Amino acid sequence: MDDRLRKGLPVLVLAGAVFAARAILGTSPEPENRRASTSVPTVETVRLAPTRYRVVLDSRGTVRPAVATTLVSEVGGTITALADGFVVGGAFAAGTPLVQLDERDYAIALTRARATLAQAAARLEEERALAEQAREEWRRLGRGGEPSALTLRKPQLAAARAERDAAAAELERAELDLERTRILAPYAGRVLERAVDPGQFVNRGTVLGRIHAIESVEVRLPLGARQQAFLTLPPEGAAASGAGLDEWPEVELEARTGDERHTWHGELVRVEGVDESTGQLVVVAEVREPWADPRAPLRIGRYVEARIAGRELEDVFVVPLAALREEREVLIVDDAGTIRRRPVRVVWSDAERAAVTEGLAAGELLVLTPLATVVEGAPVRAMLDGVAVEGIAMDRFAPEGEGEGVGGDG
């Protein structure tokens, strides 16, 4: 191959490639011009309506006795008997003898006190007789004027009367001491603590144990500053005067034992005040007859959760808490079927719901479906209870070209 053919061969190959490319491009079909389709998301909605809403304040606390008593011995002696129910957790009826002390010394003292009183009473009668005799003698002697107090034995009579009164007081004291050897239950209740055993010697002032009444129990419930604004209480002094007691809020207490849930109903009975360390308002709830149901008694020391009936709100929109975005806005589907952000004013919210006073209108569709990203004015397909909402024209958001047909005649 000569030099001219070798140099011209690349040029010929390149020219052939260009010619072939033009031929291919000239015979290729025209690309079909398809219009892009639009995907419209479906959202579940609820139609808004104003309503009345009772705020419920959540708190928690520990059950404690409404009435508790420390039993103290008022006399000394040896414990001879304890009631069968005088054990920790034991139950007893009102008037039950819980502790019995040895009463023999006090019975002897009572007998002596009775004898002393009898002697004093006899001496007083003797002095009265002597005084009357002295007056008669004064009259028989025919002496004029009034006899002196000493003549009429008035000092001796006063001394005898004082001795009689002192002996009567000693008798009463002896009777009380004998009565105090039996410590009786002042009410129906249960034992919190027992500090003595049979055979033990106790002095006056020795603590025997602690008991509490079962007629009612109490729970101290702290409330934060936000909750205090929604707590409705009767006027100051209502509890002390007995007026307005039916105005105290109701309280529901709840506790769980395994898979079982138990509830008790009570009401607030007083306000203790504000805790300086936390700034929380402490209110006290009372539950009467906590042992009414023996299967689920409200025991002392039990930890319970409380729901307190708060203020009732008028004309508010109650929405699921999940529908709130950043606790200050919601999503609304307008009449055109587009999604709109709506700032709202939330006056109250709990773990499930929120009460809105501003930013919403009756009849609007609130979006319940969580959306990661929201484009203002984007079309959506609104569903209400699983059914497409009528009255919102969705055909304007259908994919362009849908229903026109492709490649037909005319």
Side-chain angles (χ1 to χ4, degrees):
M1 182 179 296
D2 56 13
D3 292 339
R4 287 182 300 176
L5 182 59
R6 188 168 52 251
K7 293 179 181 179
L9 184 59
V11 177
L12 293 175
V13 173
L14 181 59
V18 172
F19 179 78
R22 286 182 176 179
I24 294 173
L25 293 176
T27 58
S28 62
E30 290 290 335
E32 183 179 356
N33 186 13
R34 293 185 177 272
R35 296 177 180 176
S37 61
T38 303
S39 176
V40 179
T42 299
V43 295
E44 186 65 31
T45 64
V46 64
R47 196 170 296 280
L48 295 171
T51 185
R52 301 168 66 180
Y53 178 69
R54 174 73 67 179
V55 173
V56 177
L57 309 175
D58 294 327
S59 185
R60 53 194 56 84
T62 303
V63 179
R64 66 178 190 177
V67 176
T69 305
T70 299
L71 299 179
V72 177
S73 177
E74 297 182 85
V75 294
T78 302
I79 297 176
T80 57
L82 295 176
D84 293 338
F86 193 56
V87 292
V88 176
F92 51 84
T96 300
L98 299 178
V99 180
Q100 177 65 59
L101 301 180
D102 188 351
E103 62 181 18
R104 289 174 295 178
D105 289 342
Y106 298 98
I108 294 172
L110 178 59
T111 301
R112 289 179 175 176
R114 286 172 178 167
T116 302
L117 177 59
Q119 293 173 357
R123 183 170 179 273
L124 177 60
E125 290 299 322
E126 182 181 356
E127 288 295 335
R128 284 174 178 171
L130 292 175
E132 186 64 27
Q133 182 179 359
R135 182 179 293 276
E136 290 297 326
E137 290 179 354
W138 178 272
R139 290 175 182 173
R140 271 198 314 269
L141 294 174
R143 297 178 181 180
E146 183 70 19
S148 65
L150 188 59
T151 300
L152 296 180
R153 301 183 63 84
K154 287 185 177 180
Q156 294 87 337
L157 185 62
R161 185 179 293 111
E163 289 179 4
R164 191 276 314 269
D165 293 343
E170 287 297 325
L171 175 61
E172 183 178 359
R173 178 180 176 180
E175 291 175 341
L176 284 176
D177 286 344
L178 180 61
E179 181 181 342
R180 287 167 177 169
T181 60
R182 299 174 73 232
I183 291 86
L184 306 181
Y187 43 70
R190 288 182 174 266
V191 179
L192 288 171
E193 177 185 353
R194 194 183 86 179
V196 293
D197 293 308
Q200 180 177 340
F201 182 85
V202 296
N203 294 311
R204 183 188 299 268
T206 300
V207 174
L208 307 176
R210 293 184 64 240
I211 60 175
H212 72 89
I214 59 173
E215 181 182 2
S216 63
V217 294
E218 294 182 345
V219 183
R220 299 176 72 251
L221 302 172
L223 298 174
R226 177 170 173 265
Q227 294 176 309
Q228 296 173 30
F230 294 91
L231 180 64
T232 303
L233 296 174
E236 291 289 337
S241 64
L245 294 181
D246 55 344
E247 300 178 11
W248 288 93
E250 296 181 353
V251 180
E252 182 182 82
L253 303 178
E254 176 182 323
R256 294 184 179 274
T257 304
D259 296 333
E260 296 184 2
R261 172 179 172 271
H262 305 290
T263 59
W264 302 268
H265 297 277
E267 63 181 11
L268 296 187
V269 292
R270 67 179 184 274
V271 178
E272 288 193 352
V274 178
D275 190 309
E276 294 182 359
S277 60
T278 62
Q280 293 180 316
L281 180 70
V282 179
V283 297
V284 179
E286 181 185 49
V287 177
R288 302 190 67 82
E289 298 184 1
W291 293 82
D293 184 359
R295 297 172 300 177
L298 186 55
R299 300 180 185 274
I300 300 300
R302 189 164 197 171
Y303 182 79
V304 293
E305 296 182 353
R307 289 184 291 273
I308 306 171
R311 185 158 55 91
E312 188 174 58
L313 306 178
E314 300 282 350
D315 295 327
V316 295
F317 294 95
V318 181
V319 303
L321 188 64
L324 281 177
R325 297 170 60 85
E326 299 180 357
E327 299 185 357
R328 54 187 174 86
E329 74 171 17
V330 296
L331 300 179
I332 297 294
V333 177
D334 60 16
D335 293 338
T338 60
I339 199 164
R340 299 292 177 183
R341 298 175 185 267
R342 184 71 60 80
V344 294
R345 180 172 179 265
V346 178
V347 295
W348 176 260
S349 63
D350 53 28
E352 298 179 356
R353 293 172 291 184
V356 177
T357 57
E358 298 178 8
L360 300 177
E364 290 186 315
L365 292 176
L366 174 72
V367 176
L368 302 179
T369 303
L371 299 176
T373 58
V374 177
V375 178
E376 183 77 9
V380 293
R381 187 180 300 275
M383 306 293 290
L384 186 61
D385 295 330
V387 179
V389 179
E390 297 181 359
I392 297 181
M394 297 302 298
D395 54 348
R396 65 189 294 260
F397 306 119
E400 295 186 11
E402 182 175 319
E404 297 179 356
V406 179
D409 294 337

